[in-house]
Amino acid sequence: MTRIAFQGERGAYSDLACRTAYPGCETVPCDTFAIAIETVHDGGARLAMLACENSLAGRVPDIHALLPGAGLHIIGEHFQRVEHCLMGVPGADITDFRRLHTHPVAMGQVRKLIRELELQPVIQADTAGAAALVAGWGRKEEAAVASSLAAELNGLCILRRNVEDAAHNTTRFYIAAAEPKRIAPGIAGTMTTLLFRVRNVPAALYKAMGGFATNGVNMTRLESYMLDGAFTATQFMADVDGHPDDIGLRRALDELGFFSDELRILGVYPRSAFRERAG
């Protein structure tokens, strides 16, 4: 059975992402992203499900700081729809609720619900932990917003589904492993994640990006980093369409090499079908 590590408690959305992407897998909860990465290195899991960005909250800073030195290879991506559920102990009714417990990001995504039910928001460390607390207290006036999986694992009843303010709330994950995924060039739907630094000279990034434009390579994501505490962003991580050995991307990377002091491939992997469905 495949074991897959994630950051969070059982029932977290990352846990749900693992079970959705790998049905029947054994999920391994970890307190931090660093521990999830180390669990793969130690052999405690074959894969790590690492949240990298959310359609509402933006990028996940911890992962972008850890990935360059993680020593893992990105072998896939997964998009998980975040469907918040309002839940309470068995026998509770919505009219019983007085306080709402959840993670601060989730709290910001259910403002309409809070106003409608006139609930007192109470911040907790994560959504799954909030569900566990409500289950442990056993009080009808306490409610949680978390995943349906968290409700199931903690024996809570879902009073209302999809209570989030925005219907497009989706988290993207990198799937990482100790060994790279072997994909032949020329296969449609391949993506590459790369890390590079540009020389600290005028228009270096503009010139580095020019090779992707002239060679018809689509870049779906570009993130910048501070290095060594300096307020000059000279390191970048990018997701691009294609395989490094495809003619267009190979030429773009060759041009990038003229302006980059360091270029590393973090992963070559199949593009998620979610991208086509989201269109």
Side-chain angles (χ1 to χ4, degrees), residues 41-54:
H41 284 300
D42 292 344
R46 187 172 70 85
L47 303 172
M49 183 72 72
L50 305 173
C52 59
E53 59 182 325
N54 176 268

Side-chain angles (χ1 to χ4, degrees), residues 9-275:
E9 296 189 26
R10 293 195 185 279
Y13 286 102
S14 293
D15 188 6
L16 183 60
C18 294
R19 297 172 189 236
T20 303
Y22 295 91
C25 74
E26 180 180 353
T27 61
V28 183
C30 302
D31 289 339
T32 66
F33 286 114
I35 293 174
I37 290 168
E38 194 59 36
T39 299
V40 176
H41 284 300
D42 292 344
R46 187 172 70 85
L47 303 172
M49 183 72 72
L50 305 173
C52 59
E53 59 182 325
N54 176 268
S55 60
L56 291 178
R59 76 174 185 176
V60 179
D62 287 353
I63 272 304
H64 293 83
L66 288 169
L67 266 180
L72 297 182
H73 302 269
I74 300 170
I75 65 161
E77 63 174 353
H78 175 71
F79 291 83
Q80 184 65 46
R81 172 78 166 82
V82 178
E83 298 175 306
H84 290 316
C85 297
L86 176 67
M87 60 194 69
V89 296
D93 185 80
I94 285 181
T95 58
D96 296 322
F97 295 151
R98 296 294 179 268
R99 287 168 292 277
L100 180 66
H101 304 264
T102 194
H103 184 273
V105 172
M107 195 73 77
Q109 297 168 354
V110 293
R111 293 190 180 97
K112 293 179 183 177
L113 178 75
I114 294 170
R115 288 195 301 270
E116 176 194 344
L117 302 182
E118 298 181 348
L119 300 176
Q120 176 188 346
V122 183
I123 296 297
Q124 302 296 347
D126 55 51
T127 55
L133 286 172
V134 168
W137 292 326
R139 301 193 294 264
K140 291 184 177 181
E141 62 268 26
E142 311 294 342
V145 161
S147 70
S148 58
L149 177 60
E152 177 185 341
L153 294 177
N154 289 284
L156 297 178
C157 295
I158 296 175
L159 279 297
R160 192 181 294 180
R161 295 176 182 269
N162 300 112
V163 295
E164 60 275 7
D165 297 337
H168 62 76
N169 190 359
T170 303
T171 299
R172 180 181 178 231
F173 294 82
Y174 286 129
I175 304 169
E179 298 297 327
K181 193 176 189 71
R182 304 298 180 186
I183 298 180
I187 297 177
T190 298
M191 292 191 71
T192 296
T193 296
L194 54 101
L195 187 77
F196 63 94
R197 299 181 186 182
V198 295
R199 296 167 188 162
N200 198 10
V201 296
L205 180 60
Y206 172 79
K207 294 174 182 176
M209 295 294 96
F212 294 95
T214 57
N215 289 287
V217 176
N218 182 41
M219 180 174 292
T220 60
R221 189 160 184 247
L222 180 66
E223 296 284 352
S224 62
Y225 295 79
M226 286 194 304
L227 293 175
D228 302 322
F231 286 90
T232 304
T234 56
Q235 181 165 282
F236 298 87
M237 190 169 77
D239 295 330
V240 298
D241 287 339
H243 190 288
D245 291 332
D246 291 344
I247 294 176
L249 183 52
R250 186 174 71 241
R251 289 175 176 171
L253 294 178
D254 286 344
E255 290 190 41
L256 178 59
F258 287 108
F259 306 101
S260 174
D261 295 323
E262 179 183 336
L263 173 61
R264 282 197 287 146
I265 302 297
L266 297 183
V268 181
Y269 51 94
R271 183 170 59 228
S272 170
F274 176 89
R275 291 180 180 273

